[in-house]
Amino acid sequence: MKPKKDAYGQEIWAFFQGKESYEIVERDDGFIDLSDGPAVYFADFKKWPRHEKEAIKFAKGKILDVGAGAGRVSLYLQKRGFDVIAIDNSPLAIKVCKKRGVKKARILPFEKIERLKPAVFDTIIMFGNNFGLFGNPKKAKKLLKKLHKITNPKALIIAESNDPYKTRDPVHLSYHKLNQKRGRIPGQLRIRIRFRNYIGEWFDYLIVSKKEMEEILQGTGWKIKKFINSKQSSYIAIIEKE
Amino acid sequence: MKPKKDAYGQEIWAFFQGKESYEIVERDDGFIDLSDGPAVYFADFKKWPRHEKEAIKFAKGKILDVGAGAGRVSLYLQKRGFDVIAIDNSPLAIKVCKKRGVKKARILPFEKIERLKPAVFDTIIMFGNNFGLFGNPKKAKKLLKKLHKITNPKALIIAESNDPYKTRDPVHLSYHKLNQKRGRIPGQLRIRIRFRNYIGEWFDYLIVSKKEMEEILQGTGWKIKKFINSKQSSYIAIIEKE
């Protein structure tokens, strides 16, 4: 990825350097939002929301941290003695991970996960709504099958999502309709990150209800073991092999 | 202005209602920034920067508050017994001004200032970089002449700007060059406001050095009386008639 297109990495890099940083998320209906962004990517364990603190207890063995950001999850697990590999498609995010002390950090898009072979993982972590990196239901099924191959029989996926239906905001409800009209599921967001003069590429980021998540898992060899709720619409799924 | 295009007013309206609010400023080179936005538009006198506190002491008589936002300047002056009229081109900003107690608040673009006739003002206030509302040097001269006609002989313009040359940021320096290439002065910003699904119209917002401001005043019947500096690149000009 060219540095100019790595808006997400640039925002992480700026924050790491103590410069002004923010994350602007632009959706393809023109909706623009300010996310919690960098502050979350750098958050220490004590600042994590309760459902994440609860879910991380399921982590075990050899761990893959997907969409690692500034490495908050990897650093926490590494400190506790786990063997963890952080991946992110952003070169600057991985640079920051390394500078912050993540021992194994690799620039790798989630789609190319097979390149990590012959690694065999016990836990796949997708925190901070990173179930979204599955992109869309079809791609999700494909990637879940890939994950099945590179994990041990007792492996877990610990993935966070956000129930799109827990809103009454007319702007979001209209977006759901727009998505359905064009053959996408309501929470199949098309977004890009903007920071200063950096404009990221558009990408699909999937947010789903628990029911939709269960449907996505069907036929992939994975099933829900447990849901951990937050006080808001976010939740974490502990996913195990069938 | 259609409510959908009044991103600036929507952001003020959201803040007024205690909802999440922010101001995103998009420049026509793709640079995107988070401004201090609503918090500034609503700031009480005690939170104003020192140079504004100093400059407001020059206000006298019948006052026009240009680009009034949420009415912070008008409310302060009104409380001190001044006769003040707040204008803003945003219907929602003016709605908020009224709800907050500004007695005289009118939806009026600065360009149409002659519609306020037969008002005769002693002070024109353009705080919060609102010298920028002059748009470009040519338009500024035209509007300054208009202001000359609707003001008393001892009238003052109290206008805040931001010296564009007090930066070493390569992104801003490139923008200056881009502007010069297309026949604009470096600080002739072309921007629009974005908030949620609201996208404002593109408009010119002029930031100038003190020297440029003096050049703009030439031939308009106005001249600099005094500059009040801030600790940063912002400054306020007290402008009087020749």
Side-chain angles (χ1 to χ4, degrees):
Chain A
M1 195 191 308
K2 288 179 187 166
K4 189 82 185 163
K5 291 278 183 191
D6 189 8
Y8 158 79
Q10 294 284 359
E11 137 214 342
I12 288 175
W13 181 238
F15 191 94
F16 178 68
Q17 291 179 296
K19 293 185 183 171
E20 190 202 11
S21 181
Y22 50 84
E23 180 175 275
I24 289 172
V25 181
E26 190 176 17
R27 203 169 59 190
D28 68 344
D29 62 340
F31 184 82
I32 204 157
D33 205 7
L34 187 64
S35 89
D36 294 326
V40 168
Y41 303 145
F42 283 81
D44 285 339
F45 177 76
K46 55 186 173 190
K47 287 189 181 167
W48 294 9
R50 188 183 295 194
H51 64 299
E52 288 189 346
K53 284 181 179 171
E54 183 69 25
I56 202 69
K57 292 178 189 163
F58 287 85
K60 59 181 181 180
K62 192 169 169 65
I63 302 171
L64 179 66
D65 178 14
V66 178
R72 65 174 176 117
V73 176
S74 290
L75 286 169
Y76 172 79
L77 293 170
Q78 194 174 280
K79 209 170 167 185
R80 300 189 100 74
F82 291 102
D83 179 12
V84 53
I85 298 182
I87 64 165
D88 205 295
N89 72 341
S90 157
L92 279 169
I94 290 302
K95 183 176 175 178
V96 170
C97 280
K98 286 179 180 167
K99 284 192 179 275
R100 292 180 80 216
V102 178
K103 290 176 200 159
K104 298 179 184 175
R106 285 187 57 181
I107 303 166
L108 187 72
F110 187 37
E111 297 80 15
K112 311 282 183 186
I113 196 70
E114 67 276 11
R115 293 198 188 155
L116 278 179
K117 273 181 194 169
V120 181
F121 296 97
D122 299 293
T123 312
I124 311 287
I125 302 213
M126 309 174 83
F127 262 22
N129 285 341
N130 270 346
F131 185 86
L133 296 176
F134 280 120
N136 62 59
K138 195 179 162 188
K139 193 174 147 194
K141 281 184 187 287
K142 201 176 147 191
L143 285 166
L144 282 160
K145 287 175 191 167
K146 278 193 192 181
L147 289 179
H148 203 276
K149 287 181 191 159
I150 62 162
T151 46
N152 283 316
K154 295 272 182 193
L156 297 176
I157 300 172
I158 306 175
E160 190 168 359
S161 191
N162 197 320
D163 189 334
Y165 308 103
K166 288 193 173 167
T167 182
R168 289 183 185 178
D169 191 321
V171 180
H172 298 322
L173 296 176
S174 295
Y175 188 71
H176 294 175
K177 277 185 192 161
L178 169 67
N179 264 347
Q180 284 173 304
K181 202 185 275 180
R182 54 189 183 177
R184 298 159 69 93
I185 67 170
Q188 197 179 326
L189 315 180
R190 188 148 184 85
I191 58 175
R192 63 179 182 182
I193 305 298
R194 298 185 66 170
F195 169 61
R196 291 180 49 87
N197 57 324
Y198 307 107
I199 306 182
E201 300 276 12
W202 289 105
F203 66 101
D204 280 353
Y205 199 68
L206 183 66
I207 60 170
V208 291
S209 67
K210 292 171 182 173
K211 191 165 165 277
E212 286 169 334
M213 191 184 284
E214 283 172 333
E215 284 164 7
I216 287 169
L217 296 183
Q218 277 173 26
T220 66
W222 295 97
K223 67 178 172 65
I224 298 294
K225 175 186 172 77
K226 185 188 168 83
F227 286 120
I228 300 172
N229 294 318
S230 73
K231 284 177 186 170
Q232 269 110 31
S233 48
S234 289
Y235 66 92
I236 295 173
I238 311 293
I239 301 166
E240 62 185 1
K241 288 189 171 177
E242 282 181 326
Chain B
M1 195 192 308
K2 287 179 187 163
K4 190 81 186 163
K5 291 279 181 190
D6 189 8
Y8 158 79
Q10 294 283 0
E11 139 214 341
I12 289 174
W13 180 239
F15 191 93
F16 178 68
Q17 291 178 296
K19 293 186 184 170
E20 191 203 10
S21 182
Y22 51 84
E23 180 176 273
I24 289 171
V25 181
E26 190 177 16
R27 202 168 60 188
D28 68 344
D29 60 340
F31 184 81
I32 204 159
D33 205 7
L34 187 63
S35 89
D36 294 326
V40 168
Y41 303 144
F42 283 81
D44 285 339
F45 178 77
K46 56 186 176 192
K47 287 188 182 168
W48 293 10
R50 187 183 294 194
H51 64 300
E52 288 188 347
K53 284 181 178 169
E54 182 69 24
I56 200 72
K57 291 179 190 163
F58 287 86
K60 59 182 181 179
K62 193 169 167 65
I63 302 171
L64 180 66
D65 178 13
V66 178
R72 65 174 175 116
V73 175
S74 291
L75 286 169
Y76 172 78
L77 292 170
Q78 194 175 280
K79 211 170 167 184
R80 299 189 100 74
F82 291 103
D83 179 12
V84 53
I85 298 181
I87 63 165
D88 204 295
N89 73 341
S90 157
L92 278 170
I94 291 301
K95 184 175 174 178
V96 170
C97 280
K98 287 179 179 167
K99 285 191 178 276
R100 293 179 79 215
V102 178
K103 289 176 200 158
K104 298 177 183 176
R106 285 187 56 181
I107 304 166
L108 188 71
F110 187 35
E111 297 80 16
K112 311 282 183 188
I113 196 71
E114 68 276 11
R115 294 198 188 155
L116 278 179
K117 272 181 195 168
V120 180
F121 295 98
D122 298 293
T123 312
I124 311 288
I125 302 211
M126 308 174 83
F127 262 23
N129 285 340
N130 270 346
F131 185 86
L133 296 176
F134 280 121
N136 62 59
K138 195 178 162 189
K139 194 175 147 194
K141 282 183 187 287
K142 201 176 146 192
L143 285 166
L144 282 160
K145 287 174 190 168
K146 277 194 192 180
L147 289 179
H148 203 276
K149 287 182 191 158
I150 62 162
T151 46
N152 282 319
K154 296 271 183 194
L156 297 176
I157 300 171
I158 306 175
E160 190 168 358
S161 190
N162 196 319
D163 188 335
Y165 307 104
K166 289 192 173 168
T167 182
R168 288 183 184 178
D169 191 321
V171 181
H172 297 322
L173 296 176
S174 296
Y175 188 70
H176 293 174
K177 278 186 190 160
L178 169 68
N179 264 346
Q180 285 175 303
K181 203 186 274 180
R182 53 189 185 178
R184 298 159 69 93
I185 67 170
Q188 197 177 326
L189 315 179
R190 189 148 184 84
I191 57 174
R192 63 180 182 182
I193 304 297
R194 299 186 65 169
F195 169 61
R196 290 180 49 87
N197 56 325
Y198 306 108
I199 306 182
E201 299 277 12
W202 290 104
F203 66 101
D204 280 353
Y205 198 68
L206 184 65
I207 60 169
V208 291
S209 67
K210 292 172 182 172
K211 189 163 167 280
E212 287 170 334
M213 191 184 284
E214 283 172 332
E215 284 164 7
I216 286 169
L217 296 183
Q218 276 173 28
T220 66
W222 296 96
K223 65 179 173 65
I224 299 295
K225 175 185 170 76
K226 186 188 166 83
F227 285 121
I228 300 171
N229 295 318
S230 74
K231 284 177 184 169
Q232 269 109 33
S233 49
S234 288
Y235 66 92
I236 294 173
I238 311 295
I239 300 166
E240 62 186 1
K241 287 189 171 176
E242 284 181 325

